[in-house]
Amino acid sequence: MTSTQAEIDRSQLGTLSVLAWIGDPSDGHDIPYLLAYTLGDGPKGPEAGEAAARGLLEEIGLPIGDVVMDGTLKASTFPVKILLADNQIALTLPGLNATCTAPDEWVAAANESGQAYFLFATRAWPEAVPGRPVTAEVLQKFAGDEEVLTSSAHCVLQVQRLQK
């Protein structure tokens, strides 16, 4: 694949969005999660966006499926980064970045562990438009869906902080 093809593929992603949440602390699941997904609004539709997402993940070396990569071991060279400044999260991948506002409990969990569980879904999620709240039920339906999970890349990332 040439870099020109990769750039063309990236353009098919459409809107890249990021959503932060934590598991239920009462169940001992106070892990900070970060989910990247597209809205499926690329120029050639959701199918082309899914193919572009798969191509991007392959290009940067993130396997799709049930393998969880540990991006904390070589955080300085890992292709995905999370930067936290107050409640603002910046997600950076080669040639792409996205931001979101993290809830206070996400920030607290990330500060405590220094890590976040990151998923990049290749399946589009057009219902989760930035700026509109996502209910726990809607999030569970998407992020807990077996097809979504097996078609996503999974990794644990170090949460880096902006130096003040």
Side-chain angles (χ1 to χ4, degrees), residues 90-146:
L91 172 69
T92 306
L93 297 100
L96 291 173
N97 60 55
T99 60
C100 73
T101 301
D104 291 338
E105 59 271 15
W106 193 97
V107 174
N111 284 337
E112 186 174 320
S113 69
Q115 302 176 350
Y117 191 100
F118 173 69
L119 297 94
F120 192 117
T122 60
R123 192 163 101 192
W125 193 18
E127 300 81 16
V129 177
R132 285 194 215 146
V134 174
T135 66
E137 294 78 25
V138 170
L139 175 61
Q140 176 59 37
K141 186 176 178 187
F142 183 80
D145 182 291
E146 190 67 29

Coordinates of all heavy atoms in Angstrom, one line a residue, residues 90-146:
A90 N -7.0 14.4 24.7 CA -6.6 14.4 23.3 C -6.0 13.0 22.9 O -5.1 12.5 23.6 CB -5.5 15.5 23.1
L91 N -6.7 12.4 21.9 CA -6.2 11.1 21.4 C -5.5 11.4 20.1 O -6.0 12.1 19.2 CB -7.5 10.3 21.1 CG -7.2 8.9 20.4 CD1 -6.4 8.0 21.3 CD2 -8.5 8.3 19.9
T92 N -4.3 10.8 20.0 CA -3.4 11.0 18.8 C -3.0 9.7 18.3 O -2.6 8.8 19.0 CB -2.2 11.8 19.2 OG1 -2.5 13.0 19.9 CG2 -1.3 12.1 18.0
L93 N -3.3 9.5 17.0 CA -2.8 8.4 16.2 C -2.1 9.0 15.0 O -2.3 10.2 14.7 CB -4.0 7.6 15.7 CG -4.9 6.9 16.7 CD1 -6.2 7.7 17.0 CD2 -5.3 5.6 16.3
P94 N -1.3 8.2 14.3 CA -0.6 8.7 13.1 C -1.5 9.4 12.1 O -2.4 8.7 11.6 CB 0.2 7.5 12.6 CG 0.3 6.6 13.7 CD -0.9 6.8 14.6
G95 N -1.4 10.6 11.9 CA -2.2 11.3 10.9 C -3.6 11.7 11.4 O -4.4 12.3 10.6
L96 N -4.0 11.4 12.6 CA -5.3 11.7 13.1 C -5.3 12.1 14.6 O -4.4 11.7 15.3 CB -6.2 10.4 13.1 CG -6.6 9.8 11.8 CD1 -7.3 8.5 12.0 CD2 -7.6 10.8 11.1
N97 N -6.2 12.9 15.0 CA -6.4 13.2 16.4 C -7.8 13.6 16.6 O -8.6 14.0 15.7 CB -5.4 14.3 16.9 CG -5.6 15.6 16.2 OD1 -6.7 16.1 16.1 ND2 -4.5 16.1 15.6
A98 N -8.2 13.4 17.9 CA -9.6 13.7 18.3 C -9.6 14.1 19.8 O -8.7 13.7 20.5 CB -10.5 12.5 18.1
T99 N -10.5 14.9 20.2 CA -10.6 15.3 21.6 C -12.0 15.0 22.1 O -13.0 14.9 21.4 CB -10.3 16.8 21.7 OG1 -11.2 17.5 21.0 CG2 -8.9 17.1 21.3
C100 N -12.0 14.9 23.4 CA -13.3 14.9 24.1 C -13.1 15.4 25.6 O -12.0 15.5 26.0 CB -13.9 13.5 24.1 SG -13.1 12.3 25.2
T101 N -14.3 15.6 26.2 CA -14.2 16.0 27.6 C -14.5 14.8 28.4 O -15.5 14.1 28.2 CB -15.3 17.1 27.9 OG1 -15.0 18.2 27.0 CG2 -15.3 17.5 29.3
A102 N -13.6 14.5 29.4 CA -13.8 13.4 30.3 C -14.6 13.7 31.5 O -14.4 14.8 32.1 CB -12.4 12.9 30.7
P103 N -15.4 12.8 32.0 CA -16.1 13.1 33.2 C -15.1 13.0 34.4 O -14.1 12.4 34.3 CB -17.1 11.9 33.3 CG -16.8 10.9 32.3 CD -15.8 11.6 31.3
D104 N -15.5 13.7 35.5 CA -14.6 13.8 36.6 C -14.1 12.4 37.1 O -13.0 12.2 37.5 CB -15.2 14.5 37.8 CG -15.4 16.0 37.5 OD1 -14.7 16.5 36.6 OD2 -16.3 16.6 38.1
E105 N -15.0 11.4 37.1 CA -14.7 10.1 37.6 C -13.7 9.4 36.7 O -12.8 8.6 37.1 CB -15.9 9.2 37.8 CG -16.8 9.0 36.6 CD -17.9 10.0 36.4 OE1 -17.9 11.1 37.0 OE2 -18.8 9.7 35.5
W106 N -13.7 9.7 35.4 CA -12.7 9.2 34.4 C -11.3 9.8 34.8 O -10.3 9.0 34.8 CB -13.1 9.5 33.0 CG -12.3 8.8 31.9 CD1 -12.7 7.6 31.3 CD2 -11.0 9.1 31.4 NE1 -11.8 7.2 30.4 CE2 -10.7 8.1 30.5 CE3 -10.1 10.1 31.7 CZ2 -9.5 8.1 29.8 CZ3 -8.9 10.0 31.0 CH2 -8.6 9.0 30.0
V107 N -11.3 11.1 35.0 CA -10.0 11.7 35.3 C -9.5 11.2 36.6 O -8.3 10.9 36.7 CB -10.2 13.3 35.4 CG1 -9.0 13.9 35.9 CG2 -10.7 13.9 34.1
A108 N -10.3 11.0 37.6 CA -9.8 10.4 38.9 C -9.3 9.0 38.7 O -8.2 8.7 39.2 CB -11.0 10.4 39.9
A109 N -10.0 8.2 37.9 CA -9.5 6.8 37.7 C -8.2 6.8 36.9 O -7.3 6.0 37.2 CB -10.6 6.0 37.0
A110 N -8.1 7.7 35.9 CA -6.9 7.7 35.1 C -5.7 8.3 35.9 O -4.6 7.8 35.8 CB -7.1 8.6 33.9
N111 N -6.0 9.2 36.8 CA -4.9 9.7 37.7 C -4.5 8.7 38.6 O -3.3 8.6 38.9 CB -5.4 11.0 38.5 CG -5.5 12.2 37.6 OD1 -4.8 12.3 36.6 ND2 -6.3 13.2 38.0
E112 N -5.4 7.8 39.1 CA -5.0 6.8 40.1 C -4.2 5.7 39.4 O -3.2 5.2 39.9 CB -6.3 6.2 40.7 CG -6.0 5.2 41.8 CD -7.2 4.7 42.5 OE1 -8.1 5.6 42.8 OE2 -7.3 3.5 42.8
S113 N -4.6 5.2 38.2 CA -4.0 4.1 37.6 C -2.9 4.5 36.6 O -2.0 3.7 36.3 CB -5.0 3.2 36.8 OG -5.5 3.9 35.7
G114 N -3.0 5.7 36.1 CA -2.0 6.2 35.1 C -2.3 5.6 33.7 O -1.5 5.7 32.8
Q115 N -3.4 4.8 33.6 CA -3.7 4.1 32.3 C -5.1 4.2 31.9 O -6.0 4.5 32.8 CB -3.4 2.6 32.5 CG -2.0 2.3 32.9 CD -1.8 0.8 33.2 OE1 -2.7 0.0 33.2 NE2 -0.5 0.4 33.4
A116 N -5.4 3.9 30.7 CA -6.8 3.8 30.2 C -6.9 2.6 29.2 O -5.9 2.3 28.5 CB -7.2 5.1 29.5
Y117 N -8.0 2.0 29.2 CA -8.3 0.9 28.2 C -8.9 1.6 27.0 O -9.9 2.3 27.0 CB -9.3 -0.1 28.8 CG -9.4 -1.3 28.0 CD1 -8.7 -2.5 28.3 CD2 -10.2 -1.4 26.8 CE1 -8.8 -3.6 27.6 CE2 -10.3 -2.5 26.1 CZ -9.6 -3.6 26.5 OH -9.7 -4.8 25.7
F118 N -8.2 1.4 25.8 CA -8.6 2.1 24.6 C -9.1 1.1 23.6 O -8.6 0.0 23.4 CB -7.4 2.8 24.0 CG -7.6 3.4 22.6 CD1 -8.5 4.4 22.4 CD2 -7.0 2.8 21.5 CE1 -8.7 5.0 21.2 CE2 -7.2 3.4 20.2 CZ -8.1 4.4 20.1
L119 N -10.3 1.4 23.0 CA -10.8 0.6 21.9 C -11.0 1.5 20.7 O -11.4 2.7 20.8 CB -12.2 0.1 22.3 CG -12.4 -0.8 23.4 CD1 -12.8 0.0 24.7 CD2 -13.5 -1.8 23.1
F120 N -10.6 1.0 19.5 CA -10.9 1.7 18.3 C -11.9 0.8 17.5 O -11.5 -0.2 17.0 CB -9.6 1.9 17.5 CG -9.8 2.9 16.3 CD1 -9.1 4.1 16.3 CD2 -10.7 2.6 15.3 CE1 -9.3 5.0 15.2 CE2 -10.8 3.5 14.2 CZ -10.1 4.7 14.2
A121 N -13.1 1.2 17.5 CA -14.2 0.4 16.8 C -14.1 0.7 15.3 O -14.0 1.8 14.8 CB -15.5 0.8 17.3
T122 N -14.1 -0.4 14.5 CA -14.1 -0.2 13.1 C -15.5 -0.1 12.6 O -15.8 0.5 11.5 CB -13.5 -1.4 12.3 OG1 -14.2 -2.6 12.7 CG2 -12.0 -1.6 12.7
R123 N -16.5 -0.5 13.4 CA -17.9 -0.3 13.0 C -18.4 1.1 13.3 O -18.1 1.6 14.4 CB -18.8 -1.3 13.7 CG -20.2 -1.4 13.2 CD -20.9 -2.6 13.6 NE -21.8 -2.3 14.6 CZ -22.5 -3.1 15.4 NH1 -22.2 -4.4 15.3 NH2 -23.3 -2.7 16.3
A124 N -19.1 1.7 12.4 CA -19.6 3.1 12.6 C -20.6 3.1 13.7 O -21.4 2.1 13.9 CB -20.1 3.6 11.3
W125 N -20.7 4.2 14.4 CA -21.7 4.4 15.4 C -22.4 5.8 15.2 O -22.1 6.8 15.8 CB -21.1 4.4 16.8 CG -22.0 4.3 17.9 CD1 -23.3 3.9 17.9 CD2 -21.7 4.5 19.3 NE1 -23.8 3.9 19.2 CE2 -22.8 4.3 20.0 CE3 -20.5 4.9 19.9 CZ2 -22.9 4.4 21.4 CZ3 -20.6 5.1 21.3 CH2 -21.7 4.9 22.0
P126 N -23.3 5.9 14.2 CA -23.9 7.2 13.8 C -24.7 7.8 14.9 O -25.0 9.0 14.9 CB -24.7 6.9 12.5 CG -24.9 5.4 12.5 CD -23.7 4.8 13.3
E127 N -25.2 7.0 15.8 CA -26.1 7.5 16.9 C -25.4 8.4 17.9 O -26.0 9.2 18.6 CB -26.8 6.4 17.6 CG -27.7 5.5 16.7 CD -27.0 4.5 15.9 OE1 -25.8 4.2 16.2 OE2 -27.5 3.9 15.0
A128 N -24.1 8.2 18.0 CA -23.3 8.8 19.1 C -22.6 10.1 18.5 O -21.4 10.2 18.4 CB -22.3 7.9 19.7
V129 N -23.4 11.1 18.2 CA -23.0 12.3 17.6 C -22.3 13.2 18.7 O -22.9 13.3 19.8 CB -24.1 13.1 17.0 CG1 -23.7 14.4 16.4 CG2 -24.8 12.2 15.9
P130 N -21.1 13.7 18.5 CA -20.5 14.6 19.4 C -21.4 15.7 19.9 O -22.1 16.3 19.1 CB -19.3 15.1 18.7 CG -19.0 14.1 17.6 CD -20.3 13.6 17.2
G131 N -21.4 16.0 21.2 CA -22.2 17.1 21.7 C -23.5 16.6 22.2 O -24.2 17.4 22.9
R132 N -23.9 15.4 21.9 CA -25.2 14.9 22.4 C -24.9 13.8 23.4 O -24.1 12.9 23.2 CB -26.0 14.2 21.3 CG -26.7 15.2 20.4 CD -27.7 14.5 19.5 NE -27.8 15.1 18.2 CZ -28.0 14.5 17.1 NH1 -28.3 13.2 17.1 NH2 -28.1 15.1 16.0
P133 N -25.6 13.8 24.6 CA -25.3 12.8 25.6 C -25.6 11.4 25.1 O -26.5 11.2 24.3 CB -26.2 13.2 26.8 CG -26.7 14.6 26.5 CD -26.6 14.8 25.0
V134 N -24.8 10.5 25.6 CA -25.0 9.0 25.3 C -25.4 8.4 26.6 O -24.7 8.5 27.6 CB -23.8 8.4 24.7 CG1 -23.9 6.9 24.6 CG2 -23.4 9.0 23.4
T135 N -26.6 7.7 26.6 CA -27.0 7.1 27.9 C -26.2 5.8 28.1 O -25.6 5.3 27.2 CB -28.5 6.7 27.8 OG1 -28.7 5.7 26.8 CG2 -29.4 7.9 27.5
A136 N -26.2 5.4 29.3 CA -25.5 4.1 29.7 C -26.0 3.0 28.9 O -25.2 2.1 28.5 CB -25.6 3.9 31.2
E137 N -27.3 2.9 28.6 CA -27.9 1.8 27.9 C -27.4 1.8 26.4 O -27.1 0.8 25.9 CB -29.4 1.9 27.9 CG -30.0 1.7 29.3 CD -29.9 2.9 30.2 OE1 -29.9 4.1 29.7 OE2 -29.9 2.7 31.4
V138 N -27.4 3.0 25.8 CA -26.9 3.1 24.4 C -25.5 2.7 24.3 O -25.0 2.0 23.4 CB -27.2 4.5 23.9 CG1 -26.5 4.8 22.5 CG2 -28.7 4.8 23.8
L139 N -24.7 3.2 25.3 CA -23.2 2.9 25.3 C -23.1 1.4 25.5 O -22.3 0.8 24.7 CB -22.5 3.6 26.4 CG -21.1 3.3 26.7 CD1 -20.2 3.6 25.5 CD2 -20.5 4.0 27.9
Q140 N -23.8 0.8 26.4 CA -23.7 -0.7 26.6 C -24.1 -1.5 25.4 O -23.4 -2.5 25.0 CB -24.5 -1.1 27.8 CG -24.6 -2.6 28.1 CD -23.2 -3.2 28.4 OE1 -22.4 -2.6 29.0 NE2 -23.0 -4.4 27.8
K141 N -25.1 -1.0 24.7 CA -25.6 -1.7 23.5 C -24.5 -1.7 22.4 O -24.3 -2.7 21.7 CB -26.9 -1.1 23.0 CG -27.5 -1.8 21.8 CD -28.8 -1.2 21.4 CE -29.4 -2.0 20.2 NZ -30.5 -1.3 19.7
F142 N -23.8 -0.6 22.3 CA -22.7 -0.5 21.2 C -21.4 -1.2 21.7 O -20.9 -2.1 21.1 CB -22.5 0.9 20.8 CG -21.5 1.0 19.7 CD1 -21.8 0.8 18.4 CD2 -20.1 1.4 20.0 CE1 -20.9 0.9 17.4 CE2 -19.2 1.5 19.0 CZ -19.6 1.2 17.6
A143 N -20.9 -0.6 22.8 CA -19.6 -1.1 23.3 C -19.6 -2.5 23.9 O -18.5 -3.1 24.0 CB -19.0 -0.1 24.4
G144 N -20.7 -3.0 24.2 CA -20.8 -4.4 24.8 C -21.2 -5.4 23.7 O -21.3 -6.6 24.0
D145 N -21.5 -4.9 22.5 CA -21.9 -5.8 21.4 C -20.7 -6.7 21.0 O -19.6 -6.1 20.7 CB -22.4 -4.9 20.2 CG -22.8 -5.8 19.0 OD1 -22.0 -6.4 18.4 OD2 -24.1 -5.8 18.8
E146 N -20.9 -8.0 20.9 CA -19.8 -8.9 20.6 C -19.2 -8.6 19.2 O -18.0 -8.6 19.0 CB -20.4 -10.3 20.6 CG -19.3 -11.4 20.5 CD -18.4 -11.5 21.7 OE1 -18.8 -11.1 22.8 OE2 -17.2 -11.9 21.5

